[in-house]
Amino acid sequence: MKEYKKFLTALHTVYRTANSTLNTQDFVKGLLKILQTAFSTSNCSISYYHSNSPSLYYKVTFVKNKYFTRQGKITILQKEEKDAWEKEKTIYSKYKIVIPLIFIDNMGVLTIKRRRKDRLFRESEKKLVSIIGEEVAVVLRNFQLYEENRKTIVASIRTITKMLRNYTPTSRIHVEYLYKIIKELGISLNLTESQSTSLRYAFLLHDTGKIEVPQRILSKHAPLTKEEREAIKKHPKEGAKLLKDFSILRPVIPIILYHHERYDGKGYPSGLKKKHIPFEARIMSIVDAFDAMFFGRHYKKRMSLENIIKELEAQKGKQFDPEIVEKFISILKKREIKEYLESIRRKKHGG
């Protein structure tokens, strides 16, 4: 009874781990730790093929509380693992269980080991490992389907972005130039991988709704009329509406919808204030403003880094979240970042 209770706990943890990440390696690492605890293993590993190339394999091993990852051809597998994979047959021995992970296709192979001084694997444990193996195969397949879906979405994003650039060239954030700063900010703010991915998509798509704004307004150099400003203010809602049917973009929608909100509540479209504005949208508003100041717009001259920092300081607690601004400014003040930004300006503007 105790053994089955431990197994059910392990199985529940597997489900929880699968639902908490969209990254195959994160799931595999979490799973190996669960298996080591549940089955008192000295060594456990999962091998699976790369979704982009069926001839490229990953093998993640967990031993002595450390992870070891290898990538290569099928030769990275041990003989028993290769046999289990190719013959789709489980291999049992006194101190080792090697199980092919099969769901329609062979998704990989799971290996758990004990040392010779440890107790042998019982028949009940072999059955339990097999059941977990079946569930893991389903999860790996789901990850592959997600990756295939993600590639389709990324292709769609590129198409939308290209169309948006042609329609309103000044609306995009220069992600290719600012990647280093954005990455540093993500580390400083302890962003998860899914948060970082959502922000990357948002950086590309934040002004999608401007497709619904007349181009004469977007390209106007003179001050906008009240009616024209109101037309511009509709673009976050229009963007969210245009992208809402892309399931993989659901986490991105609040960022796009609220990236023009202000920390003091004077922004749009909903007048949200402080922590009521989604965290990623608060980040987005700062990066968007920095991009406009650093690279300039047709209606706005570019500014020096020193003046940009002064403006960010002045808007702490007003336009921007003060804590995020502080971290962003500390990154801008780093010597290597300053040099990097200067090189970008020379490359893009010739000085």
Side-chain angles (χ1 to χ4, degrees), residues 260-291:
H260 278 295
E261 299 290 356
R262 290 173 52 108
Y263 197 73
D264 60 10
K266 296 178 182 178
Y268 62 89
S270 302
L272 299 184
K273 193 173 182 179
K274 296 185 177 180
K275 307 298 182 182
H276 292 290
I277 306 168
F279 182 59
E280 292 89 342
R282 281 178 267 148
I283 298 171
M284 179 81 198
S285 68
I286 296 169
V287 178
D288 190 22
F290 174 81
D291 185 85

PDB file of all heavy atoms in Angstrom, residues 260-291:
ATOM      1  N   HIS A 260       0.481  50.245 -23.163  1.00  0.00           N
ATOM      2  CA  HIS A 260       0.417  51.714 -23.116  1.00  0.00           C
ATOM      3  C   HIS A 260      -0.257  52.215 -21.833  1.00  0.00           C
ATOM      4  O   HIS A 260      -0.557  53.413 -21.720  1.00  0.00           O
ATOM      5  CB  HIS A 260      -0.316  52.273 -24.335  1.00  0.00           C
ATOM      6  CG  HIS A 260       0.556  52.381 -25.546  1.00  0.00           C
ATOM      7  ND1 HIS A 260       1.634  53.228 -25.618  1.00  0.00           N
ATOM      8  CD2 HIS A 260       0.527  51.719 -26.736  1.00  0.00           C
ATOM      9  CE1 HIS A 260       2.225  53.103 -26.797  1.00  0.00           C
ATOM     10  NE2 HIS A 260       1.574  52.194 -27.493  1.00  0.00           N
ATOM     11  N   GLU A 261      -0.481  51.324 -20.888  1.00  0.00           N
ATOM     12  CA  GLU A 261      -0.961  51.778 -19.577  1.00  0.00           C
ATOM     13  C   GLU A 261       0.201  52.457 -18.846  1.00  0.00           C
ATOM     14  O   GLU A 261       1.369  52.158 -19.107  1.00  0.00           O
ATOM     15  CB  GLU A 261      -1.459  50.588 -18.748  1.00  0.00           C
ATOM     16  CG  GLU A 261      -2.624  49.837 -19.355  1.00  0.00           C
ATOM     17  CD  GLU A 261      -3.934  50.618 -19.338  1.00  0.00           C
ATOM     18  OE1 GLU A 261      -3.956  51.737 -18.765  1.00  0.00           O
ATOM     19  OE2 GLU A 261      -4.927  50.116 -19.901  1.00  0.00           O
ATOM     20  N   ARG A 262      -0.132  53.354 -17.944  1.00  0.00           N
ATOM     21  CA  ARG A 262       0.878  54.062 -17.159  1.00  0.00           C
ATOM     22  C   ARG A 262       0.788  53.648 -15.695  1.00  0.00           C
ATOM     23  O   ARG A 262      -0.285  53.348 -15.195  1.00  0.00           O
ATOM     24  CB  ARG A 262       0.684  55.580 -17.278  1.00  0.00           C
ATOM     25  CG  ARG A 262       1.025  56.165 -18.631  1.00  0.00           C
ATOM     26  CD  ARG A 262       0.633  57.631 -18.686  1.00  0.00           C
ATOM     27  NE  ARG A 262       1.186  58.388 -17.566  1.00  0.00           N
ATOM     28  CZ  ARG A 262       2.196  59.272 -17.663  1.00  0.00           C
ATOM     29  NH1 ARG A 262       2.742  59.509 -18.851  1.00  0.00           N
ATOM     30  NH2 ARG A 262       2.635  59.914 -16.590  1.00  0.00           N
ATOM     31  N   TYR A 263       1.919  53.687 -15.016  1.00  0.00           N
ATOM     32  CA  TYR A 263       1.958  53.286 -13.616  1.00  0.00           C
ATOM     33  C   TYR A 263       1.051  54.171 -12.755  1.00  0.00           C
ATOM     34  O   TYR A 263       0.504  53.722 -11.754  1.00  0.00           O
ATOM     35  CB  TYR A 263       3.399  53.355 -13.106  1.00  0.00           C
ATOM     36  CG  TYR A 263       3.646  52.596 -11.832  1.00  0.00           C
ATOM     37  CD1 TYR A 263       3.693  51.197 -11.820  1.00  0.00           C
ATOM     38  CD2 TYR A 263       3.840  53.266 -10.632  1.00  0.00           C
ATOM     39  CE1 TYR A 263       3.922  50.497 -10.644  1.00  0.00           C
ATOM     40  CE2 TYR A 263       4.081  52.577  -9.454  1.00  0.00           C
ATOM     41  CZ  TYR A 263       4.110  51.189  -9.465  1.00  0.00           C
ATOM     42  OH  TYR A 263       4.333  50.492  -8.303  1.00  0.00           O
ATOM     43  N   ASP A 264       0.893  55.445 -13.172  1.00  0.00           N
ATOM     44  CA  ASP A 264       0.054  56.374 -12.396  1.00  0.00           C
ATOM     45  C   ASP A 264      -1.426  56.303 -12.785  1.00  0.00           C
ATOM     46  O   ASP A 264      -2.242  57.075 -12.287  1.00  0.00           O
ATOM     47  CB  ASP A 264       0.570  57.811 -12.526  1.00  0.00           C
ATOM     48  CG  ASP A 264       0.587  58.308 -13.978  1.00  0.00           C
ATOM     49  OD1 ASP A 264       0.020  57.623 -14.857  1.00  0.00           O
ATOM     50  OD2 ASP A 264       1.183  59.373 -14.227  1.00  0.00           O
ATOM     51  N   GLY A 265      -1.776  55.401 -13.704  1.00  0.00           N
ATOM     52  CA  GLY A 265      -3.179  55.216 -14.073  1.00  0.00           C
ATOM     53  C   GLY A 265      -3.665  56.122 -15.188  1.00  0.00           C
ATOM     54  O   GLY A 265      -4.855  56.108 -15.518  1.00  0.00           O
ATOM     55  N   LYS A 266      -2.771  56.905 -15.801  1.00  0.00           N
ATOM     56  CA  LYS A 266      -3.179  57.858 -16.836  1.00  0.00           C
ATOM     57  C   LYS A 266      -2.967  57.333 -18.263  1.00  0.00           C
ATOM     58  O   LYS A 266      -2.999  58.099 -19.218  1.00  0.00           O
ATOM     59  CB  LYS A 266      -2.409  59.177 -16.651  1.00  0.00           C
ATOM     60  CG  LYS A 266      -2.728  59.882 -15.340  1.00  0.00           C
ATOM     61  CD  LYS A 266      -1.895  61.149 -15.180  1.00  0.00           C
ATOM     62  CE  LYS A 266      -2.187  61.824 -13.837  1.00  0.00           C
ATOM     63  NZ  LYS A 266      -1.352  63.033 -13.645  1.00  0.00           N
ATOM     64  N   GLY A 267      -2.755  56.038 -18.374  1.00  0.00           N
ATOM     65  CA  GLY A 267      -2.525  55.457 -19.697  1.00  0.00           C
ATOM     66  C   GLY A 267      -3.809  54.959 -20.340  1.00  0.00           C
ATOM     67  O   GLY A 267      -4.913  55.260 -19.895  1.00  0.00           O
ATOM     68  N   TYR A 268      -3.647  54.174 -21.386  1.00  0.00           N
ATOM     69  CA  TYR A 268      -4.807  53.623 -22.110  1.00  0.00           C
ATOM     70  C   TYR A 268      -4.488  52.182 -22.510  1.00  0.00           C
ATOM     71  O   TYR A 268      -3.328  51.775 -22.484  1.00  0.00           O
ATOM     72  CB  TYR A 268      -5.129  54.498 -23.349  1.00  0.00           C
ATOM     73  CG  TYR A 268      -4.043  54.575 -24.401  1.00  0.00           C
ATOM     74  CD1 TYR A 268      -3.960  53.651 -25.445  1.00  0.00           C
ATOM     75  CD2 TYR A 268      -3.077  55.590 -24.370  1.00  0.00           C
ATOM     76  CE1 TYR A 268      -2.965  53.726 -26.407  1.00  0.00           C
ATOM     77  CE2 TYR A 268      -2.091  55.673 -25.333  1.00  0.00           C
ATOM     78  CZ  TYR A 268      -2.034  54.737 -26.350  1.00  0.00           C
ATOM     79  OH  TYR A 268      -1.047  54.807 -27.311  1.00  0.00           O
ATOM     80  N   PRO A 269      -5.502  51.348 -22.800  1.00  0.00           N
ATOM     81  CA  PRO A 269      -6.917  51.677 -23.052  1.00  0.00           C
ATOM     82  C   PRO A 269      -7.811  51.652 -21.805  1.00  0.00           C
ATOM     83  O   PRO A 269      -8.945  52.112 -21.861  1.00  0.00           O
ATOM     84  CB  PRO A 269      -7.346  50.564 -24.008  1.00  0.00           C
ATOM     85  CG  PRO A 269      -6.521  49.388 -23.608  1.00  0.00           C
ATOM     86  CD  PRO A 269      -5.194  49.947 -23.192  1.00  0.00           C
ATOM     87  N   SER A 270      -7.321  51.117 -20.675  1.00  0.00           N
ATOM     88  CA  SER A 270      -8.216  50.893 -19.529  1.00  0.00           C
ATOM     89  C   SER A 270      -7.893  51.732 -18.308  1.00  0.00           C
ATOM     90  O   SER A 270      -8.591  51.639 -17.296  1.00  0.00           O
ATOM     91  CB  SER A 270      -8.189  49.403 -19.139  1.00  0.00           C
ATOM     92  OG  SER A 270      -8.579  48.602 -20.231  1.00  0.00           O
ATOM     93  N   GLY A 271      -6.834  52.526 -18.359  1.00  0.00           N
ATOM     94  CA  GLY A 271      -6.481  53.345 -17.200  1.00  0.00           C
ATOM     95  C   GLY A 271      -6.070  52.518 -15.996  1.00  0.00           C
ATOM     96  O   GLY A 271      -6.309  52.911 -14.853  1.00  0.00           O
ATOM     97  N   LEU A 272      -5.435  51.354 -16.237  1.00  0.00           N
ATOM     98  CA  LEU A 272      -4.978  50.523 -15.122  1.00  0.00           C
ATOM     99  C   LEU A 272      -3.843  51.223 -14.387  1.00  0.00           C
ATOM    100  O   LEU A 272      -3.113  52.041 -14.963  1.00  0.00           O
ATOM    101  CB  LEU A 272      -4.503  49.162 -15.638  1.00  0.00           C
ATOM    102  CG  LEU A 272      -5.526  48.282 -16.371  1.00  0.00           C
ATOM    103  CD1 LEU A 272      -4.909  46.943 -16.733  1.00  0.00           C
ATOM    104  CD2 LEU A 272      -6.772  48.080 -15.526  1.00  0.00           C
ATOM    105  N   LYS A 273      -3.663  50.854 -13.114  1.00  0.00           N
ATOM    106  CA  LYS A 273      -2.694  51.548 -12.267  1.00  0.00           C
ATOM    107  C   LYS A 273      -1.803  50.552 -11.531  1.00  0.00           C
ATOM    108  O   LYS A 273      -2.257  49.486 -11.118  1.00  0.00           O
ATOM    109  CB  LYS A 273      -3.459  52.417 -11.261  1.00  0.00           C
ATOM    110  CG  LYS A 273      -2.613  53.427 -10.511  1.00  0.00           C
ATOM    111  CD  LYS A 273      -3.526  54.323  -9.672  1.00  0.00           C
ATOM    112  CE  LYS A 273      -2.723  55.389  -8.946  1.00  0.00           C
ATOM    113  NZ  LYS A 273      -3.579  56.279  -8.142  1.00  0.00           N
ATOM    114  N   LYS A 274      -0.546  50.885 -11.397  1.00  0.00           N
ATOM    115  CA  LYS A 274       0.442  50.148 -10.600  1.00  0.00           C
ATOM    116  C   LYS A 274       0.404  48.643 -10.901  1.00  0.00           C
ATOM    117  O   LYS A 274       0.521  48.227 -12.043  1.00  0.00           O
ATOM    118  CB  LYS A 274       0.233  50.442  -9.115  1.00  0.00           C
ATOM    119  CG  LYS A 274       0.481  51.902  -8.765  1.00  0.00           C
ATOM    120  CD  LYS A 274       0.387  52.147  -7.262  1.00  0.00           C
ATOM    121  CE  LYS A 274       0.715  53.605  -6.943  1.00  0.00           C
ATOM    122  NZ  LYS A 274       0.636  53.893  -5.505  1.00  0.00           N
ATOM    123  N   LYS A 275       0.243  47.826  -9.839  1.00  0.00           N
ATOM    124  CA  LYS A 275       0.346  46.372  -9.992  1.00  0.00           C
ATOM    125  C   LYS A 275      -0.841  45.755 -10.729  1.00  0.00           C
ATOM    126  O   LYS A 275      -0.834  44.560 -11.031  1.00  0.00           O
ATOM    127  CB  LYS A 275       0.486  45.694  -8.617  1.00  0.00           C
ATOM    128  CG  LYS A 275       1.604  46.232  -7.756  1.00  0.00           C
ATOM    129  CD  LYS A 275       2.977  46.048  -8.383  1.00  0.00           C
ATOM    130  CE  LYS A 275       4.079  46.566  -7.457  1.00  0.00           C
ATOM    131  NZ  LYS A 275       5.411  46.458  -8.042  1.00  0.00           N
ATOM    132  N   HIS A 276      -1.870  46.566 -11.007  1.00  0.00           N
ATOM    133  CA  HIS A 276      -2.996  46.054 -11.793  1.00  0.00           C
ATOM    134  C   HIS A 276      -2.613  45.894 -13.263  1.00  0.00           C
ATOM    135  O   HIS A 276      -3.286  45.197 -14.011  1.00  0.00           O
ATOM    136  CB  HIS A 276      -4.205  46.989 -11.669  1.00  0.00           C
ATOM    137  CG  HIS A 276      -4.806  47.010 -10.290  1.00  0.00           C
ATOM    138  ND1 HIS A 276      -5.495  45.933  -9.771  1.00  0.00           N
ATOM    139  CD2 HIS A 276      -4.797  47.958  -9.334  1.00  0.00           C
ATOM    140  CE1 HIS A 276      -5.895  46.226  -8.545  1.00  0.00           C
ATOM    141  NE2 HIS A 276      -5.487  47.449  -8.255  1.00  0.00           N
ATOM    142  N   ILE A 277      -1.527  46.556 -13.660  1.00  0.00           N
ATOM    143  CA  ILE A 277      -1.006  46.378 -15.021  1.00  0.00           C
ATOM    144  C   ILE A 277      -0.186  45.092 -15.035  1.00  0.00           C
ATOM    145  O   ILE A 277       0.675  44.904 -14.168  1.00  0.00           O
ATOM    146  CB  ILE A 277      -0.096  47.565 -15.425  1.00  0.00           C
ATOM    147  CG1 ILE A 277      -0.833  48.894 -15.244  1.00  0.00           C
ATOM    148  CG2 ILE A 277       0.390  47.400 -16.869  1.00  0.00           C
ATOM    149  CD1 ILE A 277       0.081  50.109 -15.341  1.00  0.00           C
ATOM    150  N   PRO A 278      -0.425  44.176 -15.972  1.00  0.00           N
ATOM    151  CA  PRO A 278       0.363  42.931 -16.008  1.00  0.00           C
ATOM    152  C   PRO A 278       1.868  43.222 -15.993  1.00  0.00           C
ATOM    153  O   PRO A 278       2.335  44.179 -16.628  1.00  0.00           O
ATOM    154  CB  PRO A 278      -0.071  42.283 -17.327  1.00  0.00           C
ATOM    155  CG  PRO A 278      -1.453  42.807 -17.559  1.00  0.00           C
ATOM    156  CD  PRO A 278      -1.451  44.219 -17.039  1.00  0.00           C
ATOM    157  N   PHE A 279       2.597  42.408 -15.271  1.00  0.00           N
ATOM    158  CA  PHE A 279       4.037  42.607 -15.064  1.00  0.00           C
ATOM    159  C   PHE A 279       4.786  42.757 -16.393  1.00  0.00           C
ATOM    160  O   PHE A 279       5.583  43.677 -16.584  1.00  0.00           O
ATOM    161  CB  PHE A 279       4.594  41.426 -14.267  1.00  0.00           C
ATOM    162  CG  PHE A 279       6.056  41.517 -13.946  1.00  0.00           C
ATOM    163  CD1 PHE A 279       6.550  42.594 -13.216  1.00  0.00           C
ATOM    164  CD2 PHE A 279       6.933  40.536 -14.367  1.00  0.00           C
ATOM    165  CE1 PHE A 279       7.901  42.682 -12.909  1.00  0.00           C
ATOM    166  CE2 PHE A 279       8.287  40.611 -14.062  1.00  0.00           C
ATOM    167  CZ  PHE A 279       8.768  41.684 -13.330  1.00  0.00           C
ATOM    168  N   GLU A 280       4.522  41.839 -17.335  1.00  0.00           N
ATOM    169  CA  GLU A 280       5.220  41.876 -18.621  1.00  0.00           C
ATOM    170  C   GLU A 280       4.875  43.137 -19.412  1.00  0.00           C
ATOM    171  O   GLU A 280       5.711  43.662 -20.148  1.00  0.00           O
ATOM    172  CB  GLU A 280       4.892  40.633 -19.448  1.00  0.00           C
ATOM    173  CG  GLU A 280       5.439  39.330 -18.894  1.00  0.00           C
ATOM    174  CD  GLU A 280       4.471  38.669 -17.914  1.00  0.00           C
ATOM    175  OE1 GLU A 280       3.564  39.369 -17.405  1.00  0.00           O
ATOM    176  OE2 GLU A 280       4.626  37.460 -17.663  1.00  0.00           O
ATOM    177  N   ALA A 281       3.634  43.631 -19.268  1.00  0.00           N
ATOM    178  CA  ALA A 281       3.239  44.868 -19.954  1.00  0.00           C
ATOM    179  C   ALA A 281       3.996  46.064 -19.389  1.00  0.00           C
ATOM    180  O   ALA A 281       4.344  47.001 -20.118  1.00  0.00           O
ATOM    181  CB  ALA A 281       1.727  45.083 -19.832  1.00  0.00           C
ATOM    182  N   ARG A 282       4.276  46.035 -18.071  1.00  0.00           N
ATOM    183  CA  ARG A 282       5.062  47.110 -17.461  1.00  0.00           C
ATOM    184  C   ARG A 282       6.495  47.109 -17.996  1.00  0.00           C
ATOM    185  O   ARG A 282       7.104  48.160 -18.179  1.00  0.00           O
ATOM    186  CB  ARG A 282       5.071  46.946 -15.930  1.00  0.00           C
ATOM    187  CG  ARG A 282       3.796  47.445 -15.258  1.00  0.00           C
ATOM    188  CD  ARG A 282       3.855  47.221 -13.761  1.00  0.00           C
ATOM    189  NE  ARG A 282       3.248  45.963 -13.374  1.00  0.00           N
ATOM    190  CZ  ARG A 282       3.634  45.210 -12.355  1.00  0.00           C
ATOM    191  NH1 ARG A 282       4.679  45.558 -11.626  1.00  0.00           N
ATOM    192  NH2 ARG A 282       2.999  44.091 -12.071  1.00  0.00           N
ATOM    193  N   ILE A 283       7.023  45.910 -18.234  1.00  0.00           N
ATOM    194  CA  ILE A 283       8.365  45.805 -18.835  1.00  0.00           C
ATOM    195  C   ILE A 283       8.324  46.336 -20.268  1.00  0.00           C
ATOM    196  O   ILE A 283       9.173  47.120 -20.695  1.00  0.00           O
ATOM    197  CB  ILE A 283       8.846  44.337 -18.842  1.00  0.00           C
ATOM    198  CG1 ILE A 283       8.972  43.798 -17.417  1.00  0.00           C
ATOM    199  CG2 ILE A 283      10.181  44.210 -19.576  1.00  0.00           C
ATOM    200  CD1 ILE A 283       9.224  42.307 -17.334  1.00  0.00           C
ATOM    201  N   MET A 284       7.306  45.897 -20.986  1.00  0.00           N
ATOM    202  CA  MET A 284       7.157  46.253 -22.398  1.00  0.00           C
ATOM    203  C   MET A 284       7.093  47.768 -22.588  1.00  0.00           C
ATOM    204  O   MET A 284       7.707  48.323 -23.512  1.00  0.00           O
ATOM    205  CB  MET A 284       5.869  45.609 -22.926  1.00  0.00           C
ATOM    206  CG  MET A 284       5.561  45.893 -24.366  1.00  0.00           C
ATOM    207  SD  MET A 284       6.501  44.808 -25.429  1.00  0.00           S
ATOM    208  CE  MET A 284       6.356  45.725 -26.951  1.00  0.00           C
ATOM    209  N   SER A 285       6.378  48.456 -21.722  1.00  0.00           N
ATOM    210  CA  SER A 285       6.212  49.909 -21.879  1.00  0.00           C
ATOM    211  C   SER A 285       7.558  50.628 -21.763  1.00  0.00           C
ATOM    212  O   SER A 285       7.818  51.598 -22.471  1.00  0.00           O
ATOM    213  CB  SER A 285       5.226  50.447 -20.833  1.00  0.00           C
ATOM    214  OG  SER A 285       5.757  50.361 -19.533  1.00  0.00           O
ATOM    215  N   ILE A 286       8.430  50.122 -20.883  1.00  0.00           N
ATOM    216  CA  ILE A 286       9.750  50.734 -20.699  1.00  0.00           C
ATOM    217  C   ILE A 286      10.635  50.472 -21.912  1.00  0.00           C
ATOM    218  O   ILE A 286      11.289  51.390 -22.433  1.00  0.00           O
ATOM    219  CB  ILE A 286      10.412  50.209 -19.403  1.00  0.00           C
ATOM    220  CG1 ILE A 286       9.596  50.644 -18.184  1.00  0.00           C
ATOM    221  CG2 ILE A 286      11.856  50.704 -19.290  1.00  0.00           C
ATOM    222  CD1 ILE A 286      10.009  49.971 -16.888  1.00  0.00           C
ATOM    223  N   VAL A 287      10.662  49.234 -22.384  1.00  0.00           N
ATOM    224  CA  VAL A 287      11.488  48.894 -23.547  1.00  0.00           C
ATOM    225  C   VAL A 287      11.001  49.636 -24.784  1.00  0.00           C
ATOM    226  O   VAL A 287      11.808  50.131 -25.585  1.00  0.00           O
ATOM    227  CB  VAL A 287      11.487  47.361 -23.789  1.00  0.00           C
ATOM    228  CG1 VAL A 287      12.302  47.022 -25.039  1.00  0.00           C
ATOM    229  CG2 VAL A 287      12.044  46.612 -22.589  1.00  0.00           C
ATOM    230  N   ASP A 288       9.686  49.734 -24.949  1.00  0.00           N
ATOM    231  CA  ASP A 288       9.098  50.456 -26.086  1.00  0.00           C
ATOM    232  C   ASP A 288       9.506  51.934 -26.051  1.00  0.00           C
ATOM    233  O   ASP A 288       9.900  52.520 -27.073  1.00  0.00           O
ATOM    234  CB  ASP A 288       7.573  50.318 -26.035  1.00  0.00           C
ATOM    235  CG  ASP A 288       6.892  50.832 -27.294  1.00  0.00           C
ATOM    236  OD1 ASP A 288       7.552  50.906 -28.348  1.00  0.00           O
ATOM    237  OD2 ASP A 288       5.690  51.147 -27.229  1.00  0.00           O
ATOM    238  N   ALA A 289       9.426  52.550 -24.868  1.00  0.00           N
ATOM    239  CA  ALA A 289       9.798  53.963 -24.725  1.00  0.00           C
ATOM    240  C   ALA A 289      11.290  54.155 -24.990  1.00  0.00           C
ATOM    241  O   ALA A 289      11.696  55.119 -25.656  1.00  0.00           O
ATOM    242  CB  ALA A 289       9.445  54.453 -23.321  1.00  0.00           C
ATOM    243  N   PHE A 290      12.118  53.246 -24.459  1.00  0.00           N
ATOM    244  CA  PHE A 290      13.562  53.332 -24.694  1.00  0.00           C
ATOM    245  C   PHE A 290      13.863  53.244 -26.187  1.00  0.00           C
ATOM    246  O   PHE A 290      14.673  54.014 -26.721  1.00  0.00           O
ATOM    247  CB  PHE A 290      14.301  52.221 -23.950  1.00  0.00           C
ATOM    248  CG  PHE A 290      15.769  52.174 -24.277  1.00  0.00           C
ATOM    249  CD1 PHE A 290      16.655  53.046 -23.653  1.00  0.00           C
ATOM    250  CD2 PHE A 290      16.264  51.293 -25.230  1.00  0.00           C
ATOM    251  CE1 PHE A 290      18.004  53.030 -23.968  1.00  0.00           C
ATOM    252  CE2 PHE A 290      17.606  51.275 -25.553  1.00  0.00           C
ATOM    253  CZ  PHE A 290      18.482  52.145 -24.922  1.00  0.00           C
ATOM    254  N   ASP A 291      13.209  52.322 -26.866  1.00  0.00           N
ATOM    255  CA  ASP A 291      13.422  52.137 -28.301  1.00  0.00           C
ATOM    256  C   ASP A 291      13.116  53.431 -29.059  1.00  0.00           C
ATOM    257  O   ASP A 291      13.871  53.853 -29.938  1.00  0.00           O
ATOM    258  CB  ASP A 291      12.537  51.002 -28.805  1.00  0.00           C
ATOM    259  CG  ASP A 291      12.786  50.664 -30.262  1.00  0.00           C
ATOM    260  OD1 ASP A 291      13.709  49.875 -30.523  1.00  0.00           O
ATOM    261  OD2 ASP A 291      12.065  51.189 -31.125  1.00  0.00           O
TER     262      ASP A 291
END
